[in-house]
Coordinates of all heavy atoms in Angstrom, one line a residue:
V235 N 40.4 11.8 -0.5 CA 40.3 12.4 -1.8 C 39.0 13.3 -1.7 O 38.0 12.9 -1.2 CB 40.2 11.4 -2.9 CG1 41.5 10.6 -3.1 CG2 39.0 10.5 -2.8
P308 N 39.1 7.2 -16.5 CA 38.8 5.8 -16.8 C 37.4 5.8 -17.4 O 36.5 6.6 -17.1 CB 38.7 5.1 -15.4 CG 39.0 6.2 -14.4 CD 39.3 7.5 -15.1
S309 N 37.2 4.8 -18.4 CA 36.0 4.8 -19.1 C 34.8 4.7 -18.2 O 34.7 3.8 -17.4 CB 36.1 3.6 -20.1 OG 34.8 3.4 -20.7
G310 N 33.9 5.6 -18.4 CA 32.6 5.7 -17.6 C 32.8 6.2 -16.2 O 31.8 6.3 -15.4
G311 N 34.0 6.4 -15.7 CA 34.2 6.8 -14.3 C 34.9 8.2 -14.2 O 35.1 8.9 -15.2
H312 N 35.3 8.5 -13.0 CA 36.0 9.8 -12.7 C 37.3 9.5 -11.9 O 37.3 8.8 -10.9 CB 35.1 10.6 -11.8 CG 33.7 10.9 -12.4 ND1 32.7 10.0 -12.3 CD2 33.3 11.9 -13.1 CE1 31.7 10.5 -13.0 NE2 32.0 11.6 -13.5
A313 N 38.4 10.0 -12.5 CA 39.8 9.6 -12.0 C 39.9 9.7 -10.5 O 40.6 8.9 -9.9 CB 40.8 10.5 -12.7
I314 N 39.3 10.7 -9.9 CA 39.6 11.0 -8.5 C 39.2 9.8 -7.6 O 39.9 9.5 -6.6 CB 38.9 12.3 -8.0 CG1 39.5 12.7 -6.6 CG2 37.4 12.2 -8.0 CD1 39.3 14.1 -6.2
W315 N 38.2 9.1 -7.9 CA 37.7 8.0 -7.1 C 38.5 6.7 -7.3 O 38.3 5.7 -6.7 CB 36.2 7.7 -7.3 CG 35.4 8.9 -7.3 CD1 34.6 9.4 -8.3 CD2 35.3 9.9 -6.2 NE1 34.0 10.6 -7.9 CE2 34.5 11.0 -6.7 CE3 35.9 10.1 -5.0 CZ2 34.2 12.1 -5.9 CZ3 35.6 11.2 -4.2 CH2 34.8 12.2 -4.7
H316 N 39.4 6.8 -8.3 CA 40.3 5.6 -8.6 C 41.6 5.7 -8.0 O 42.5 4.9 -8.1 CB 40.3 5.4 -10.1 CG 39.0 5.2 -10.7 ND1 38.7 4.1 -11.6 CD2 37.8 5.8 -10.6 CE1 37.4 4.1 -11.9 NE2 36.9 5.2 -11.4
I317 N 41.8 6.8 -7.2 CA 43.1 7.0 -6.4 C 42.9 6.3 -5.1 O 41.9 6.7 -4.4 CB 43.4 8.5 -6.3 CG1 43.6 9.1 -7.7 CG2 44.5 8.7 -5.3 CD1 43.6 10.6 -7.7
C319 N 42.4 5.6 -1.4 CA 42.2 6.5 -0.2 C 41.5 5.8 0.9 O 40.9 4.7 0.7 CB 41.4 7.7 -0.7 SG 39.7 7.2 -1.1
A322 N 36.5 9.3 1.3 CA 36.2 10.1 0.1 C 35.2 11.2 0.4 O 34.2 10.9 1.1 CB 35.6 9.1 -1.0
P324 N 33.0 13.6 -1.8 CA 32.6 14.2 -3.1 C 32.0 15.6 -2.8 O 31.0 15.7 -2.1 CB 31.5 13.2 -3.5 CG 31.1 12.4 -2.4 CD 32.3 12.4 -1.4
N329 N 25.7 13.7 -8.9 CA 26.0 12.4 -9.7 C 27.4 12.4 -10.3 O 27.7 11.9 -11.4 CB 25.0 12.3 -10.9 CG 23.6 12.1 -10.3 OD1 23.4 11.4 -9.3 ND2 22.6 12.6 -11.0
E330 N 28.4 12.8 -9.4 CA 29.8 12.7 -9.9 C 30.5 11.5 -9.4 O 31.7 11.3 -9.6 CB 30.5 14.0 -9.3 CG 30.4 14.1 -7.8 CD 31.4 15.0 -7.2 OE1 32.6 14.9 -7.5 OE2 31.0 15.8 -6.2
L331 N 29.8 10.6 -8.6 CA 30.4 9.4 -8.1 C 29.4 8.3 -8.5 O 28.3 8.1 -7.9 CB 30.6 9.5 -6.6 CG 31.5 8.5 -5.9 CD1 31.8 8.9 -4.5 CD2 31.0 7.0 -5.9
N332 N 29.8 7.4 -9.5 CA 28.8 6.4 -10.0 C 29.3 5.0 -9.6 O 30.2 4.8 -8.8 CB 28.7 6.6 -11.5 CG 30.0 6.4 -12.3 OD1 30.9 5.7 -11.8 ND2 30.1 7.0 -13.4
L333 N 28.6 4.0 -10.1 CA 28.8 2.7 -9.7 C 30.2 2.2 -10.0 O 30.9 1.5 -9.2 CB 27.8 1.7 -10.4 CG 27.9 0.3 -10.0 CD1 27.7 0.0 -8.5 CD2 26.8 -0.5 -10.7
I334 N 30.7 2.6 -11.2 CA 32.1 2.2 -11.6 C 33.1 2.8 -10.5 O 34.0 2.1 -10.1 CB 32.4 2.8 -13.0 CG1 31.6 2.1 -14.0 CG2 33.9 2.7 -13.3 CD1 31.6 2.7 -15.4
D335 N 32.9 4.1 -10.1 CA 33.7 4.7 -9.1 C 33.6 4.0 -7.8 O 34.6 3.8 -7.1 CB 33.3 6.2 -9.0 CG 33.4 6.9 -10.3 OD1 34.3 6.7 -11.1 OD2 32.5 7.8 -10.6
A336 N 32.4 3.7 -7.4 CA 32.1 3.1 -6.1 C 32.8 1.8 -6.0 O 33.4 1.4 -4.9 CB 30.6 2.9 -5.9
K337 N 32.8 1.0 -7.1 CA 33.5 -0.3 -7.0 C 35.0 -0.1 -6.8 O 35.7 -0.9 -6.1 CB 33.3 -1.1 -8.4 CG 31.8 -1.6 -8.5 CD 31.6 -2.4 -9.7 CE 30.2 -3.0 -9.6 NZ 29.8 -3.6 -10.9
E338 N 35.6 0.9 -7.4 CA 37.0 1.2 -7.3 C 37.3 1.6 -5.9 O 38.3 1.2 -5.3 CB 37.4 2.3 -8.3 CG 38.8 2.3 -8.7 CD 39.2 1.0 -9.5 OE1 38.3 0.4 -10.1 OE2 40.4 0.7 -9.4
L339 N 36.4 2.5 -5.3 CA 36.7 2.9 -3.9 C 36.7 1.7 -3.0 O 37.5 1.6 -2.1 CB 35.5 3.9 -3.5 CG 35.6 5.3 -4.0 CD1 34.4 6.1 -3.7 CD2 36.9 6.0 -3.4
V340 N 35.7 0.8 -3.1 CA 35.6 -0.4 -2.3 C 36.9 -1.3 -2.5 O 37.5 -1.7 -1.5 CB 34.3 -1.2 -2.6 CG1 34.3 -2.5 -1.9 CG2 33.1 -0.4 -2.2
K341 N 37.2 -1.5 -3.7 CA 38.4 -2.3 -4.0 C 39.7 -1.7 -3.3 O 40.5 -2.5 -2.8 CB 38.6 -2.3 -5.6 CG 39.6 -3.4 -6.0 CD 39.7 -3.4 -7.5 CE 40.9 -2.6 -7.9 NZ 41.0 -2.2 -9.3
N342 N 39.8 -0.4 -3.3 CA 41.0 0.2 -2.7 C 40.9 0.4 -1.2 O 41.7 1.0 -0.6 CB 41.2 1.5 -3.4 CG 41.7 1.3 -4.8 OD1 42.4 0.4 -5.1 ND2 41.4 2.2 -5.7
G343 N 39.8 -0.1 -0.6 CA 39.7 -0.1 0.9 C 39.2 1.2 1.5 O 39.4 1.5 2.7
C344 N 38.4 2.0 0.8 CA 37.8 3.2 1.3 C 36.8 2.8 2.4 O 36.0 1.9 2.2 CB 37.2 4.0 0.2 SG 36.2 5.4 0.8
I345 N 36.8 3.5 3.5 CA 35.9 3.1 4.6 C 34.7 4.1 4.8 O 33.7 3.8 5.5 CB 36.6 3.0 6.0 CG1 37.3 4.2 6.4 CG2 37.5 1.8 5.9 CD1 37.8 4.2 7.8
L346 N 34.8 5.3 4.2 CA 33.7 6.3 4.4 C 33.6 7.2 3.2 O 34.6 7.7 2.7 CB 34.0 7.2 5.7 CG 33.2 8.4 5.8 CD1 31.8 8.1 6.4 CD2 33.8 9.5 6.8
V347 N 32.3 7.4 2.8 CA 32.0 8.4 1.8 C 31.2 9.5 2.5 O 30.1 9.2 3.0 CB 31.3 7.8 0.5 CG1 30.8 8.9 -0.4 CG2 32.2 6.8 -0.2
E349 N 29.4 13.0 1.9 CA 29.0 13.9 0.8 C 29.1 15.4 1.2 O 28.3 15.9 2.1 CB 27.6 13.6 0.4 CG 27.4 12.2 -0.3 CD 26.0 12.0 -0.9 OE1 25.0 12.4 -0.3 OE2 25.9 11.4 -1.9
P354 N 25.8 13.9 -4.8 CA 26.9 13.6 -5.7 C 27.0 12.1 -6.0 O 27.7 11.8 -7.0 CB 28.2 14.1 -4.9 CG 27.7 13.9 -3.4 CD 26.3 14.3 -3.4
T355 N 26.4 11.3 -5.2 CA 26.5 9.8 -5.4 C 25.3 9.3 -6.1 O 24.1 9.5 -5.6 CB 26.7 9.1 -4.1 OG1 27.6 9.9 -3.3 CG2 27.3 7.8 -4.2
T356 N 25.4 8.5 -7.2 CA 24.2 7.9 -7.8 C 23.6 6.9 -7.0 O 24.3 6.2 -6.1 CB 24.6 7.3 -9.2 OG1 25.6 6.3 -9.0 CG2 25.2 8.4 -10.1
P357 N 22.3 6.6 -7.1 CA 21.6 5.6 -6.3 C 22.3 4.2 -6.3 O 22.4 3.6 -5.3 CB 20.2 5.6 -6.8 CG 20.0 6.9 -7.5 CD 21.4 7.3 -8.0
D358 N 22.7 3.8 -7.5 CA 23.3 2.4 -7.6 C 24.7 2.4 -6.9 O 25.0 1.4 -6.3 CB 23.4 1.9 -9.0 CG 24.0 2.9 -10.0 OD1 24.4 4.0 -9.6 OD2 24.2 2.5 -11.2
A359 N 25.4 3.5 -6.9 CA 26.6 3.6 -6.2 C 26.4 3.6 -4.7 O 27.1 2.9 -4.0 CB 27.4 4.9 -6.6
I360 N 25.4 4.3 -4.2 CA 25.1 4.3 -2.8 C 24.8 2.8 -2.3 O 25.3 2.4 -1.3 CB 23.9 5.2 -2.5 CG1 24.3 6.7 -2.8 CG2 23.5 5.0 -1.0 CD1 23.1 7.6 -2.5
E361 N 24.0 2.2 -3.1 CA 23.6 0.8 -2.7 C 24.8 -0.1 -2.6 O 25.0 -0.9 -1.7 CB 22.6 0.3 -3.8 CG 21.8 -0.9 -3.3 CD 20.9 -1.5 -4.4 OE1 20.6 -0.7 -5.3 OE2 20.5 -2.7 -4.3
Y362 N 25.7 0.0 -3.6 CA 26.9 -0.8 -3.7 C 27.8 -0.5 -2.4 O 28.3 -1.4 -1.8 CB 27.7 -0.6 -5.0 CG 28.8 -1.5 -5.1 CD1 28.7 -2.8 -5.6 CD2 30.1 -1.1 -4.7 CE1 29.7 -3.6 -5.7 CE2 31.2 -1.9 -4.8 CZ 31.0 -3.2 -5.3 OH 32.1 -4.1 -5.4
L363 N 27.9 0.8 -2.1 CA 28.8 1.2 -1.0 C 28.2 0.6 0.3 O 29.0 0.0 1.1 CB 28.9 2.7 -0.9 CG 29.7 3.4 -2.1 CD1 29.4 4.9 -2.0 CD2 31.2 3.1 -2.0
L364 N 26.9 0.8 0.5 CA 26.3 0.3 1.7 C 26.4 -1.2 1.8 O 26.8 -1.7 2.9 CB 24.8 0.8 1.8 CG 24.6 2.3 2.0 CD1 23.1 2.6 2.0 CD2 25.2 2.8 3.3
N365 N 26.2 -1.9 0.7 CA 26.2 -3.3 0.8 C 27.7 -3.8 1.0 O 27.9 -5.0 1.4 CB 25.7 -3.9 -0.5 CG 24.2 -3.8 -0.6 OD1 23.5 -3.6 0.4 ND2 23.6 -3.8 -1.8
S366 N 28.6 -3.0 0.7 CA 30.0 -3.4 0.9 C 30.5 -2.9 2.2 O 31.7 -3.0 2.5 CB 30.9 -2.7 -0.2 OG 30.4 -3.0 -1.5
G367 N 29.7 -2.4 3.0 CA 30.1 -2.0 4.4 C 30.7 -0.6 4.5 O 31.3 -0.3 5.6
V368 N 30.7 0.2 3.4 CA 31.3 1.5 3.5 C 30.3 2.4 4.2 O 29.1 2.4 4.0 CB 31.6 2.0 2.1 CG1 32.1 3.5 2.1 CG2 32.6 1.1 1.3
K369 N 30.8 3.2 5.2 CA 30.0 4.1 5.9 C 29.6 5.3 5.0 O 30.5 5.7 4.2 CB 30.7 4.7 7.1 CG 31.2 3.6 8.1 CD 30.0 2.8 8.7 CE 30.5 1.6 9.5 NZ 29.9 0.4 9.1
F370 N 28.4 5.8 5.1 CA 27.9 6.8 4.1 C 27.3 8.0 4.8 O 26.3 7.8 5.6 CB 27.0 6.1 3.1 CG 26.6 7.0 2.0 CD1 27.4 7.1 0.9 CD2 25.4 7.7 2.0 CE1 27.1 8.0 -0.2 CE2 25.1 8.6 1.0 CZ 25.9 8.7 -0.1

Side-chain angles (χ1 to χ4, degrees):
V235 297
S309 172
H312 303 82
I314 192 158
W315 314 122
H316 298 233
I317 295 167
C319 67
N329 294 328
E330 54 161 318
L331 194 170
N332 61 27
L333 183 57
I334 293 169
D335 303 321
K337 287 185 175 167
E338 206 63 27
L339 284 171
V340 171
K341 196 179 93 194
N342 289 327
C344 174
I345 57 168
L346 168 76
V347 172
E349 294 189 321
T355 318
T356 60
D358 52 356
I360 295 176
E361 197 182 340
Y362 186 83
L363 292 167
L364 291 176
N365 288 340
S366 308
V368 176
K369 304 295 170 231
F370 188 82

